């Protein structure tokens, strides 16, 4: 199997794994509103004494961040399709990488801000986590986003150069 | 663009068709059309040399500079 095909396969598998969460998340929030005394969601601030507006607000912000990630990933999937068709130096590819960068950077920044607010102001316990922490993952997502923005500029430049080359007689 | 291409005029003076010139200098008619219309971003020295040789002219006869 070629590396491009493997990349597309991995992206596809992950993308289809993301869809149920996007679809079921609003339903879960609705369920929490209807049955506030449930126990299916844990480790949420303010949820110890039952689900209130704070919990719903937190869930909605998490869902917002997840949607940003999902849209970024959707564009990544589109980009891999272009990669397989060998249509890298096209306008669609430039737009795709730009959107991936914007959404991943947005999601990373938003999630990192939420996490920092939680750690600094809301969390009552302090602990050291060994291994990859959430903050490191969010930073990595921002790095990936910025990388795609740089990649988008590189593709844009390559597109211009290709056009110039075509118009050199 | 301030660089003007006077290829049509030189071709008319020599009573040569663009198709003929394209065949002599070894480029496609589409590319010659891009050059004649002024849409070209750059001209290779080799192309310019071939055009000058085919039309027995100087680069200055084909290219001109005019301020915008």
């Amino acid at each position: 199997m070629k590396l491009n095909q493997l990349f597309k396969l991995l992206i596809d598998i992950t993308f289809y794994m993301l869809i149920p969460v996007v679809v079921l998340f609003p339903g879960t929030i609705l369920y929490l509103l209807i049955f506030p005394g449930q126990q299916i969601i844990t480790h949420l601030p303010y949820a110890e004494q039952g689900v209130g507006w704070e919990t719903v607000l937190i869930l909605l912000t998490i869902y917002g961040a997840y949607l940003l990630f999902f849209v970024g990933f959707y564009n990544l999937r589109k980009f891999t399709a272009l990669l397989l068709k060998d249509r890298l130096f096209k306008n669609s590819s430039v737009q795709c990488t730009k959107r991936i960068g914007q959404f991943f950077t947005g999601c990373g920044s938003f999630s990192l801000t939420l996490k920092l607010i939680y750690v600094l102001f809301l969390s009552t316990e302090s602990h050291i986590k060994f291994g990859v922490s959430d903050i490191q993952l969010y930073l990595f997502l921002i790095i990936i986003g910025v990388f795609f923005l740089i990649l988008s500029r590189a593709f844009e430049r390559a597109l211009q150069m290709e056009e110039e080359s075509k118009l050199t007689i | 663009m301030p660089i003007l291409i006077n290829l049509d005029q030189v071709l008319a003076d020599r009573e040569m068709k663009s198709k003929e010139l394209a065949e002599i200098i070894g480029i496609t008619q589409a590319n010659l059309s891009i050059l004649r219309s002024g849409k070209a971003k750059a001209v290779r020295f080799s192309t310019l040399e071939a055009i000058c040789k085919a039309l027995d002219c100087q680069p200055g006869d084909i290219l001109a500079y005019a301020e915008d």
Side-chain angles (χ1 to χ4, degrees), chain B residues 4 23-24 26 29 34 48 52 56:
Chain B
L4 303 173
E23 277 172 15
I24 294 168
Q29 276 194 73
I34 289 170
L48 194 59
C52 289
D56 189 25

Side-chain angles (χ1 to χ4, degrees), chain B residues 28-63:
Chain B
T28 62
Q29 276 194 73
N31 276 345
L32 189 62
S33 173
I34 289 170
L35 184 62
R36 284 169 57 207
S37 62
K39 286 178 187 167
K41 297 259 183 188
V43 183
R44 287 190 192 92
F45 278 152
S46 56
T47 311
L48 194 59
E49 184 189 333
I51 293 171
C52 289
K53 195 174 176 183
L55 297 173
D56 189 25
C57 64
Q58 292 297 313
D61 299 332
I62 301 163
L63 305 172

